[in-house]
Amino acid sequence: MQKLEQLYEGKAKKVYKTDDPELLIVDYKDDATAFNGIKKGTIVGKGVINNQMSNFLMQKLEKEGVPTHFVEELSERETLVKKVEIVPLEVIIRNIAAGSFSKNYGVPEGEKFASPTLEFSYKNDDLGDPLINSYHVLAIRLATKEELDTITKYAFKVNEVLSAFWAECGITLVDFKIEFGRLSDGTIVLADEISPDTCRLWDSKTGEKLDKDRFRRDLGGVEDAYAEVMRRLREHN
Ligand code: ADP
Ligand code: UDP
């Protein structure tokens, strides 16, 4: 599959056209950003890990009935995906209080919820990805009611499948962000990535953070944490 012109360069990935109008190539970078792009850095080897981890988890989710954009891993950093029109929502599922939830609602980090939560942020860098509710989503036509129902159903399924998988690896899935898109026929599929950039992953025994919070909070050992998560994933696949 031929990589044609670059369509987009984001904070973590580049996206290229291919000779098939329905397919794109995603190229994962080592660049890391936080706080809406204010903090910038490099996590050496991250692109390779995020590409391989995301592809592994998406294939697992496909088997469990969640359709995804994944087509084929082309190289260490490049993957062929189905082109989608991204639904401009960050879909966030939480099992344990952390990050902005702890800050906004005064719930100490680490407190386990009675049941998982779901929230949406409006994916809009200029506005700082503000929290948005489902009535707002419908009012400004970001998605239809049917699409929101499908997205919600898939998001909880992703949580079930990934929580169980990470538990086998001795890792607690604290929370994560996913994105969905529409194929040309309108079908909703899981898109973007699932990686330590987009999930909070804590060692089940020690509580050690094995995700991008090490970068966000200057905890050190960022590369080692990404490599450790990847090592455990490989051990359990
Ligand atoms: P950001 O845009 O937040 O800086 P990235 O660097 O990860 O993020 O850029 C990748 C971009 O590609 C994101 O905007 C994401 O929504 C988009 N994207 C992910 N998967 C697909 C897909 N299958 N088709 C079209 N766009 C996609
Ligand atoms: N997240 C993400 N991209 C974002 C915002 C959040 O991938 O732009 C992920 C983040 O890694 C965490 C979850 O979504 O796993 C919830 O993040 P939170 O709202 O607590 O925000 P943060 O503390 O990262 O500001």
Side-chain angles (χ1 to χ4, degrees):
M1 185 60 63
Q2 195 59 28
K3 213 172 175 183
L4 300 179
E5 76 190 82
Q6 184 177 305
L7 267 183
Y8 177 78
E9 175 158 9
K11 296 185 286 288
K13 304 189 283 296
K14 294 179 189 172
V15 182
Y16 296 87
K17 277 190 175 172
T18 68
D19 44 27
D20 183 333
E22 306 271 348
L23 298 175
L24 300 174
I25 292 173
V26 182
D27 187 343
Y28 285 72
K29 306 189 288 183
D30 285 351
D31 298 356
T33 63
F35 314 118
N36 205 15
I38 293 166
K39 183 178 166 82
K40 291 193 175 72
T42 302
I43 302 174
V44 177
K46 168 173 90 85
V48 175
I49 289 175
N50 287 8
N51 183 40
Q52 294 173 347
M53 187 178 297
S54 200
N55 292 342
F56 172 82
L57 296 175
M58 291 226 184
Q59 289 173 84
K60 185 176 258 318
L61 289 164
E62 285 272 356
K63 286 192 203 125
E64 300 287 341
V66 180
T68 78
H69 72 167
F70 176 79
V71 179
E72 187 189 352
E73 192 166 291
L74 299 175
S75 72
E76 278 194 327
R77 290 176 186 271
E78 295 165 311
T79 295
L80 189 65
V81 299
K82 293 174 190 164
K83 179 182 181 163
V84 300
E85 179 192 20
I86 290 285
V87 176
L89 295 174
E90 300 199 328
V91 181
I92 296 171
I93 295 265
R94 300 176 193 269
N95 297 303
I96 294 175
S100 69
F101 189 96
S102 293
K103 187 164 164 269
N104 291 339
Y105 305 112
V107 181
E109 191 156 278
E111 191 164 307
K112 192 173 182 324
F113 293 144
S115 52
T117 65
L118 176 144
E119 76 215 35
F120 300 114
S121 291
Y122 179 21
K123 202 173 136 60
N124 183 319
D125 282 337
D126 294 338
L127 300 176
D129 299 339
L131 205 59
I132 191 167
N133 75 30
S134 55
Y135 292 94
H136 300 153
V137 171
L138 299 179
I140 63 172
R141 299 182 180 84
L142 300 181
T144 65
K145 176 78 174 69
E146 291 68 33
E147 287 175 335
L148 268 193
D149 289 346
T150 303
I151 286 171
T152 301
K153 181 182 77 179
Y154 287 159
F156 281 116
K157 181 74 185 176
V158 170
N159 188 42
E160 263 178 51
V161 173
L162 296 190
S163 292
F165 172 70
W166 285 122
E168 283 174 31
C169 303
I171 288 173
T172 303
L173 179 60
V174 173
D175 58 29
F176 60 92
K177 182 272 296 182
I178 46 181
E179 295 180 20
F180 292 88
R182 305 174 184 98
L183 299 178
S184 55
D185 68 359
T187 307
I188 292 285
V189 301
L190 180 63
D192 204 49
E193 69 175 275
I194 309 174
S195 71
D197 273 14
T198 62
C199 303
R200 283 197 170 91
L201 302 166
W202 293 355
D203 182 280
S204 305
K205 284 208 188 92
T206 64
E208 190 189 358
K209 297 185 199 311
L210 300 171
D211 56 58
K212 197 171 149 188
D213 271 347
R214 300 205 75 84
F215 169 78
R216 292 191 191 99
R217 303 179 188 189
D218 294 321
L219 300 175
V222 187
E223 277 90 359
D224 289 349
Y226 277 66
E228 175 62 13
V229 172
M230 194 63 203
R231 191 187 65 73
R232 294 205 203 171
L233 178 143
R234 285 219 174 87
E235 252 178 28
H236 289 86
N237 75 11

